[in-house]
Amino acid sequence: LQLGAPPAEKKMAAFEDVLAAVRDEGKASHRAKAKEEGASAAAMEDLPLAPAEEQVLEGKALALKLEEEEENLRQLRIIMRNQILKLLCEHRYRVFSEPLDEGERKECEEKGVVGTDLLQILKKIDRKEVASTGALVACFGDLVSTTETLYGGDGGTNDDAKI
């Protein structure tokens, strides 16, 4: 009995709960921070954005804004890192956690795919190369492409899978 490889959309859907958790934790931490600062419940609702006005920050205001943005990015990296660590602990994601050997890496390069695994994504987060949920989605896209290249699709066989 042979089953066809699922399409990339289904493979990315396997990580949708992780991406949703990253988005939800980010919103929750933002709301918790707003509560600590004494914001009302109505102020914490997501409101439509007005067109941005040209605002030039200088001196201390600029330094404070940069510090605030760096703190937000740090919290986002912590959330993303925690989600990757949860995946690494789950047995069903074990195949994504094993580093690629040299032959697998070459196979990916030949097909024009960025060979990656969960440990590589974790390293990118730690090196501040992944600083947004969009970048994390791109990393998961690379992860799905890697497994599709190695274990499914055109050239790979499911018999080679490290499951």
Side-chain angles (χ1 to χ4, degrees):
L1 175 68
Q2 294 234 349
L3 298 175
E9 293 84 27
K10 282 190 176 182
K11 292 178 183 178
M12 282 298 289
F15 295 103
E16 187 57 39
D17 57 337
V18 174
L19 297 173
V22 169
R23 286 189 288 264
D24 292 344
E25 283 187 42
K27 286 181 181 179
S29 68
H30 178 68
R31 287 191 173 112
K33 186 176 178 182
K35 271 189 177 178
E36 287 174 6
E37 295 173 355
S40 68
M44 290 187 287
E45 295 294 322
D46 292 334
L47 299 174
L49 299 175
E53 294 180 12
E54 189 72 28
Q55 188 178 29
V56 178
L57 298 176
E58 296 178 359
K60 192 172 183 178
L62 179 61
L64 287 173
K65 185 66 173 177
L66 289 174
E67 186 178 314
E68 179 184 334
E69 288 186 10
E70 183 59 36
E71 174 64 20
N72 290 339
L73 288 173
R74 186 182 72 78
Q75 287 185 4
L76 179 63
R77 283 192 303 273
I78 289 171
I79 291 168
M80 290 189 295
R81 193 171 200 291
N82 287 340
Q83 292 300 317
I84 297 295
L85 289 173
K86 284 180 186 177
L87 290 177
L88 286 169
C89 292
E90 287 188 41
H91 180 73
R92 65 182 173 158
Y93 293 107
R94 183 176 57 105
V95 69
F96 300 114
S97 64
E98 296 183 14
L100 302 177
D101 62 26
E102 199 59 39
E104 292 171 332
R105 198 167 295 284
K106 285 181 183 177
E107 186 178 342
C108 288
E109 287 174 5
E110 288 171 1
K111 295 185 178 181
V113 174
V114 177
T116 192
D117 55 66
L118 287 173
L119 296 174
Q120 291 295 321
I121 295 173
L122 193 61
K123 286 178 188 177
K124 286 181 179 181
I125 292 170
D126 290 343
R127 288 182 288 197
K128 301 180 182 179
E129 294 174 15
V130 177
S132 68
T133 53
L136 185 63
V137 169
C139 286
F140 280 128
D142 291 341
L143 184 65
V144 168
S145 297
T146 299
T147 55
E148 189 173 80
T149 298
L150 296 175
Y151 309 121
D154 300 333
T157 63
N158 291 333
D159 298 336
D160 297 338
K162 300 177 185 175
I163 299 174

